[in-house]
Amino acid sequence: MLMSRRCVTHLSLVLGVCAAAALPLSIPAPTLLDCVFLENSNATCWWEGVDRAPPNTSYVLHVDEMLQLNCSVFQSRTCTTQGNSCSVPILTASANYCVSVAVGGATWEACSPRRCFHGLQAVKLYPLVLHRLSPAQGRSRCLELQWSIPTGFALSPREIAEGHLLYQLRYQSERQLHPQIEETDLPCVRYTADSAHSSGPAPCRLCLFAPFTEYSVAIRYRYYRSQHWSDWSHTQLARTDEAAPSVAPQLWWWVEPRGPEGRRTVVLLWKPLTPLQANGHILGYNASCWCEGGPGVTHSWDCGTLLPSNTSCRLVLSLQRCSCTLTASTVSGPSPTGSIALPGPADAGNSRQGSFQPDTSGQEVHSDWTVSLLMCWQWAPPPETLGVSPLNDTTLQVRWTAPRNRAAVGYVVEWTPVTGAAPHGPSWQMVGGDARGAVIAEGIYPEVRFLVSVRVLYGAEPGAEQGVEPGAELATETYSRQGAPSAGPRLWVTELGSASVVLRWEPMPVEQRRGFIRNYTLHCRGPRGGDAWVVMPADKRQHSLGALQGLYTFYLVASTDAGNSSSQLVTVDVEQDRATLVTVFSCVIVPIVTVLMLVVLLRHREGMVQVLCPAVPDPAQSSLSMWTPKMHGKVMRDTDKASYPFLEPVCPSESDHSFPLLVIPVPERLCRVPDVYAPQAYIEPGSEHYLNVSNPTYRSPVKDEVLEEEPPWVHGESPTSFPHLLQILVQDCDDGPPAGDASPLGGV
């Protein structure tokens, strides 16, 4: 009965206070938004103010504590403010409350609807106390937490044991920029009904961390029917235990340009595992290769003990097909095995050079030089396209198109500076098979030419050696930023002719170009002043100039997209060559004159023949042919021939090529018979009037003395009778001696 009266009294008071709410209001009532109850502290509520409230309008918050909802008020508290929130003291959150807010000035004008609820529905618990955070032994992904509830806790052990608390974990690793928040369950705090608060909970294990990683951890909680989380506990730090590496190291290779005869020097390359992948301190690496040696025969090589700081290993392998593997180890065990295949000569294909051989000549063609092996191998397809663009002075963006009709398990991006020095291993990185691009940010510098290439990694064919198969590369040359050449080309004169000059130049070393040479410009300054120039493509190496005379100055300008540089000056004195007139005269005038002389000679050939070769009189047509010499002595008879054996014609033998001896009467002062008419003819002197024809000396018929001049008849008439006489005598030799006086010689 007493309880009923109190409820009626309370209801009358409420109706009296808020009676104005039923009257016409000049301003709207405020809207209650939310309230927060703190155990043994206060209750704070927020509301939305009245827009049309006059100045100096006050708000009054009413918080009524009661044993049961909508019953008598056990205790009523109010606070007045001109703001939108206000707090009143309370003793416990484990009670029923009704809350309203009124607005007014001198008199009450409006009151919000009352909101009644249990205090735990709006309670905000005090933060818990986190005592310890430690690694869980043998569990590399777990941490153990130990905490306790604060004093003046609003919930009973029974409510805690029934799971009326919800938890959130905030943790951040040493490699994370922002913390992560996860809702979790802490089974270690499930108290029994008779558990004492002072005993504290047992350690609680959370297994949602990465191995060998330091974390900062904080916890908060809330009553499951409340929307208000407690404040975060203070932070504790701990590192999880080590584990075996979670991934295999990325393995690649590079073949040195030269190796022992019949072998190749292979450099195995790998990337150090990241701390997130290593899961602990790397103790070392284990690298080895197996090569085919024949049917069912394999040979193995290993790199021995490798320290954690090692990132490469050099092995001298056979030229056969090989497979290489690599593992990294921590105290908890080895990593998964990384493997890759190396081709051998059994794979027929095109020959490729296994070193970095950039084209450092001056030709600015984006090259076709490649990085490959000292062996024959049929390479798998390269990417379809490749493009490289600079992001800034030290970063390049690489993009490619995947090959068609074959799935890729990964890609290897390689880059190396293009220099004239000895080749060295490239920088490289490996990305997944679904990647279509990569960012290069290691070892990139402005105004330095880089060769960038991409290879496809294909999965091993069924039955093949373990490991991925690298495909052919697609490469291009690029700059992160181009600059003007640091030096000009070297210019010199290779040929200096009459009124002409040939200039040649040598391109700058690739380190001095600092960009792609787009063109060359040759400048010329002549004796009359002025400056002329000609622009030539980047692959040209010499230029010829003609019609020059005097002193000329030349210089060459090499241009890139960012600027240009000039060569040294070359001065040439071009003079008219004196040998030119002689050459023209010898090669042109002389042949023309010769041709004209030949034409004239041909037109007057008969007269010239008579002048150069005069006709010789024929003795047969002269009186000499009818002349009979005066003979001193009688006509020789047959009986007298024995007394004059020398008059007998002597016939030549078959082996004798001389003419027979002839007896020829000669007139006085007959000097000689020309050898052309009587070669090798001998006339033995039978009297003082005979002459030895073979002797070209002119002798007197009377006495043996040399005549000073030839007899006139020799020049007057041709001695054609002598061959005639010789013919007769030779014929007489063949037919027998002439008979009697029938001889034309008159008795001889």
Side-chain angles (χ1 to χ4, degrees), residues 375-540:
M375 63 190 70
C376 294
W377 189 30
Q378 184 65 45
W379 294 93
E384 292 289 331
T385 61
L386 174 63
V388 181
S389 59
L391 297 179
N392 51 52
D393 286 355
T394 58
T395 308
L396 295 175
Q397 175 78 47
V398 185
R399 295 190 178 277
W400 59 84
T401 303
R404 300 178 182 176
N405 303 326
R406 191 166 179 183
V409 298
Y411 296 90
V412 175
V413 183
E414 297 175 300
W415 65 96
T416 185
V418 180
T419 65
H424 56 85
S427 300
W428 60 280
Q429 73 179 50
M430 193 175 294
V431 296
D434 57 347
R436 295 297 178 265
V439 175
I440 300 174
E442 174 188 346
I444 301 297
Y445 307 98
E447 300 181 1
V448 176
R449 184 181 301 186
F450 283 88
L451 179 85
V452 180
S453 63
V454 176
R455 290 182 185 270
V456 187
L457 299 179
Y458 297 97
E461 297 293 339
E465 294 288 339
Q466 183 184 12
V468 296
E469 301 282 352
E473 71 169 6
L474 189 60
T476 185
E477 292 181 351
T478 188
Y479 287 87
S480 62
R481 174 169 57 82
Q482 298 191 50
S486 60
R490 189 172 70 90
L491 182 67
W492 72 93
V493 178
T494 57
E495 296 181 19
L496 180 60
S498 174
S500 66
V501 64
V502 178
L503 298 169
R504 186 171 180 82
W505 55 91
E506 182 178 289
M508 306 86 71
V510 68
E511 296 91 339
Q512 297 178 354
R513 297 177 205 167
R514 298 185 176 181
F516 294 113
I517 302 299
R518 300 306 182 189
N519 55 65
Y520 292 101
T521 305
L522 181 63
H523 292 259
C524 173
R525 182 168 300 168
R528 298 181 180 179
D531 193 1
W533 64 87
V534 58
V535 180
M536 296 164 290
D539 57 350
K540 193 170 184 180

Side-chain angles (χ1 to χ4, degrees), residues 2-25:
L2 180 61
M3 182 66 66
S4 301
R5 290 179 179 179
R6 290 182 179 178
C7 290
V8 171
T9 304
H10 173 71
L11 182 59
S12 301
L13 291 174
V14 171
L15 293 175
V17 171
C18 297
L23 300 175
L25 298 178

Side-chain angles (χ1 to χ4, degrees), residues 540-596:
K540 193 170 184 180
R541 292 293 169 267
Q542 69 177 23
H543 188 70
S544 301
L545 296 172
L548 305 178
Q549 185 174 4
L551 192 65
Y552 291 86
T553 301
F554 302 96
Y555 66 94
L556 188 69
V557 177
S559 301
T560 66
D561 292 342
N564 52 60
S565 64
S566 302
S567 69
Q568 75 281 7
L569 297 178
V570 175
T571 302
V572 181
D573 189 4
V574 183
E575 296 182 355
Q576 188 71 27
D577 194 352
R578 297 186 180 91
T580 303
L581 297 177
V582 178
T583 303
V584 172
F585 180 79
S586 302
C587 297
V588 179
I589 304 301
V590 172
I592 293 176
V593 173
T594 303
V595 171
L596 293 176

Side-chain angles (χ1 to χ4, degrees), residues 612-676:
L612 297 176
C613 303
V616 179
D618 187 359
Q621 304 297 328
S622 65
S623 59
L624 182 60
S625 62
M626 304 301 297
W627 174 71
T628 302
K630 181 179 179 179
M631 304 296 295
H632 296 277
K634 61 180 181 179
V635 177
M636 184 176 296
R637 306 290 183 182
D638 294 337
T639 57
D640 297 330
K641 293 180 180 179
S643 303
Y644 303 95
F646 61 90
L647 295 177
E648 185 71 18
V650 180
C651 295
S653 63
E654 293 180 0
S655 62
D656 188 6
H657 299 287
S658 63
F659 288 92
L661 296 176
L662 305 178
V663 179
I664 303 175
V666 295
E668 293 183 3
R669 301 191 64 80
L670 177 63
C671 296
R672 65 182 175 84
V673 178
D675 292 340
V676 299

Side-chain angles (χ1 to χ4, degrees), residues 250-330:
Q250 293 181 357
L251 179 61
W252 190 235
W253 45 252
W254 178 62
V255 179
E256 291 187 347
R258 294 183 180 180
E261 185 67 25
R263 291 182 176 270
R264 53 181 168 173
T265 301
V266 177
V267 180
L268 296 179
L269 307 170
W270 58 87
K271 295 284 188 180
L273 295 176
T274 65
L276 189 61
Q277 297 169 338
N279 295 336
H281 294 290
I282 298 296
L283 302 180
Y285 295 92
N286 183 15
S288 57
C289 294
W290 291 265
C291 298
E292 299 174 356
V297 179
T298 59
H299 303 285
S300 62
W301 292 265
D302 65 78
C303 295
T305 302
L306 295 172
L307 300 177
S309 58
N310 294 130
T311 57
S312 64
C313 165
R314 182 176 281 100
L315 292 174
V316 179
L317 306 178
S318 66
L319 296 180
Q320 304 301 318
R321 182 180 179 86
C322 302
S323 178
C324 297
T325 60
L326 177 71
T327 58
S329 299
T330 65

Side-chain angles (χ1 to χ4, degrees), residues 50-118:
V50 178
D51 293 337
R52 293 177 296 173
N56 301 322
T57 298
S58 298
Y59 296 92
V60 179
L61 174 66
H62 292 264
V63 178
D64 299 327
E65 180 182 351
M66 57 191 67
L67 298 178
Q68 295 181 0
L69 291 178
N70 299 323
C71 292
S72 61
V73 176
F74 176 76
Q75 189 175 11
S76 180
R77 298 176 178 87
T78 62
C79 64
T80 303
T81 181
Q82 293 182 351
N84 293 336
S85 65
C86 186
S87 298
V88 297
I90 61 171
L91 295 177
T92 180
S94 300
N96 296 309
Y97 292 91
C98 288
V99 179
S100 64
V101 58
V103 60
T107 61
W108 298 114
E109 298 183 3
C111 181
S112 69
R114 297 187 69 194
R115 182 183 299 177
C116 298
F117 50 85
H118 194 278

